[in-house]
Amino acid sequence: NTFTYIPFYIRYFWFQSKRLRNKILTKIGFNPTTHLQEAWDYLPIYKLLFDNSNLQENLIYKNMYLSEIIKEDEWNKFLYKFQNNDFQTLNNYEHLFKIISVEYFMKKANDLGNNL
């Protein structure tokens, strides 16, 4: 049936040429997002996690175990920058959550050591 073959081949060619179109757009200077990048977009999840009260407790400098390594002025400047939406990038959230996860594990290790 020609009525189904023609739309099928148009859609087939369009989806098969996606990588080629992305390569051309990249050469031109655009940064298209791939299906994998769309699937692994953690930015909305990071934003929700950042607003969590348990995470906010670990952001307080005077309660941090890493306060000996991190300077208070730099830490407060870094947290202040998160009020700006332009600073809320995936890389900055990942950097923040790496620090907070180490802080969380140090608190749990300290709690475990105190219970022994």
Side-chain angles (χ1 to χ4, degrees):
N1 186 343
T2 57
F3 292 116
T4 58
Y5 281 127
I6 293 172
F8 170 78
Y9 280 117
I10 290 171
R11 288 188 67 219
Y12 178 79
F13 174 75
W14 180 255
F15 287 110
Q16 290 297 321
S17 67
K18 178 75 172 167
R19 288 185 61 202
L20 177 64
R21 287 182 283 130
N22 283 346
K23 286 181 183 181
I24 292 170
L25 288 174
T26 303
K27 295 282 184 187
I28 294 172
F30 296 103
N31 290 328
T33 56
T34 63
H35 292 294
L36 186 62
Q37 289 170 334
E38 291 173 2
W40 290 94
D41 185 16
Y42 286 116
L43 192 58
I45 297 169
Y46 284 160
K47 286 183 179 184
L48 288 174
L49 186 61
F50 182 71
D51 294 333
N52 188 345
S53 62
N54 292 334
L55 184 121
Q56 292 293 325
E57 291 176 6
N58 291 327
L59 296 177
I60 302 170
Y61 183 80
K62 62 183 177 183
N63 299 337
M64 291 177 69
Y65 288 98
L66 296 174
S67 61
E68 296 179 13
I69 299 171
I70 301 171
K71 296 180 183 176
E72 185 174 6
D73 296 344
E74 293 177 11
W75 180 250
N76 290 332
K77 286 179 187 176
F78 183 73
L79 291 179
Y80 180 74
K81 289 179 184 178
F82 267 93
Q83 295 175 1
N84 185 1
N85 287 337
D86 294 336
F87 190 74
Q88 295 177 357
T89 62
L90 193 61
N91 288 338
N92 290 335
Y93 273 116
E94 286 177 352
H95 178 73
L96 177 72
F97 290 134
K98 286 176 186 176
I99 293 171
I100 296 304
S101 62
V102 171
E103 182 70 26
Y104 176 78
F105 287 129
M106 290 180 77
K107 284 185 180 182
K108 288 297 179 183
N110 188 31
D111 292 344
L112 184 63
N114 289 338
N115 290 336
L116 293 177

